[in-house]
Amino acid sequence: MSERLVLHEYAQSGNCYKVRLTAALLGLALERREYDIMAGETRTPDFIANVNSNGRIPVLQAGDRFIPESNAACFYLADGSDLIPAGRFDRADMLRWMFWEQYNHEPNVATMRFWVAFVGEANLTEAQRAQIPGKRAAGAAALRLMDEHLAGRDWLAGERLGLADVALYAYTHVAGEGGFRLGDYPAVQAWLARIAAEANYVPMGA
Ligand SMILES: N[C@@H](CCC(=O)N[C@@H](CS)C(=O)NCC(=O)O)C(=O)O
């Protein structure tokens, strides 16, 4: 890829890590620009006008164009590579897991991690606290569904590591920070270890 790639990010965010991990697996160089989301740095008029009208990171900047939404940014980087399955069914199956990640997994597993490990349970609003039991149950159900699927196969979609695995790795491997017990999901744990053993893998903190 010849154009300049800049990731507008918050390093501890799993959504941002997905994009970094995709770039690393593909050997692509990314410049990084850090924003403090706890201080509202993605909600400034400048950010909203020039980077993402939705006021959130990650945003991948490719040349002078901007791609918000983590999974779209991963797709942009991986288009044409082995991280996207060649077969039509497997490509659709990859997308199925990436959409599922945004609807069933991230809003529960990532939100619990954010509330517990970053905001702190004591600082949550009454309304947020009331959502905890539902999010814990839905997050555990998402991890259980992945575990059942991975019990019979190495990768979520297709025959090799792909974007579905990257997208779901990001918040699954730190689910313990949100109070989920990864030890309850042995097939998920084996899959996490397979991804971490990949050439060019980078950890979240890197
Ligand atoms: N669906 C979006 C979610 C983006 C998102 O929620 N980003 C969070 C950090 S992980 C954020 O920017 N929060 C700051 C804010 O909402 O002000 C994606 O996958 O990129």
Side-chain angles (χ1 to χ4, degrees), residues 96-97 100 105 139-156 168 172 181-192 194:
R96 161 251 182 139
W97 283 106
W100 179 83
H105 187 286
L143 294 169
R144 170 69 51 216
L145 188 144
M146 288 174 69
D147 200 58
E148 286 168 5
H149 184 70
L150 287 166
R153 49 186 302 147
D154 283 352
W155 309 107
L156 287 169
L168 276 147
T172 301
R181 286 192 310 265
L182 280 173
D184 292 350
Y185 312 101
V188 166
Q189 283 192 302
W191 167 81
L192 292 174
R194 266 193 297 283

Side-chain angles (χ1 to χ4, degrees), residues 30-183:
L30 269 187
E31 289 173 42
R32 296 168 62 176
R33 165 120 197 249
E34 179 81 6
Y35 296 80
D36 184 352
I37 58 170
M38 308 302 277
E41 286 183 4
T42 62
R43 299 289 170 155
T44 63
D46 180 55
F47 187 94
I48 301 265
N50 297 310
V51 182
N52 181 7
S53 53
N54 196 31
R56 290 178 172 81
I57 43 79
V59 178
L60 178 67
Q61 183 180 350
D64 59 2
R65 295 186 296 180
F66 295 85
I67 308 165
E69 292 299 324
S70 56
N71 289 342
C74 290
F75 188 88
Y76 183 83
L77 294 177
D79 201 6
S81 79
D82 286 348
L83 288 178
I84 297 181
R88 186 172 184 164
F89 178 86
D90 288 343
R91 256 197 324 277
D93 205 28
M94 174 198 85
L95 288 175
R96 161 251 182 139
W97 283 106
M98 293 169 81
F99 293 133
W100 179 83
E101 186 262 348
Q102 287 284 296
Y103 191 77
N104 288 82
H105 187 286
E106 195 258 17
N108 302 304
V109 176
T111 300
M112 281 308 301
R113 170 178 179 255
F114 186 65
W115 285 356
V116 170
F118 292 77
V119 179
E121 280 192 59
N123 301 318
L124 296 177
T125 64
E126 201 71 5
Q128 287 170 330
R129 213 165 294 134
Q131 292 180 56
I132 287 182
K135 288 203 177 283
R136 275 203 201 293
L143 294 169
R144 170 69 51 216
L145 188 144
M146 288 174 69
D147 200 58
E148 286 168 5
H149 184 70
L150 287 166
R153 49 186 302 147
D154 283 352
W155 309 107
L156 287 169
E159 300 304 317
R160 64 181 306 284
L161 172 82
L163 279 194
D165 302 295
V166 173
L168 276 147
Y169 179 83
Y171 283 112
T172 301
H173 87 296
V174 290
E177 295 175 18
F180 297 97
R181 286 192 310 265
L182 280 173

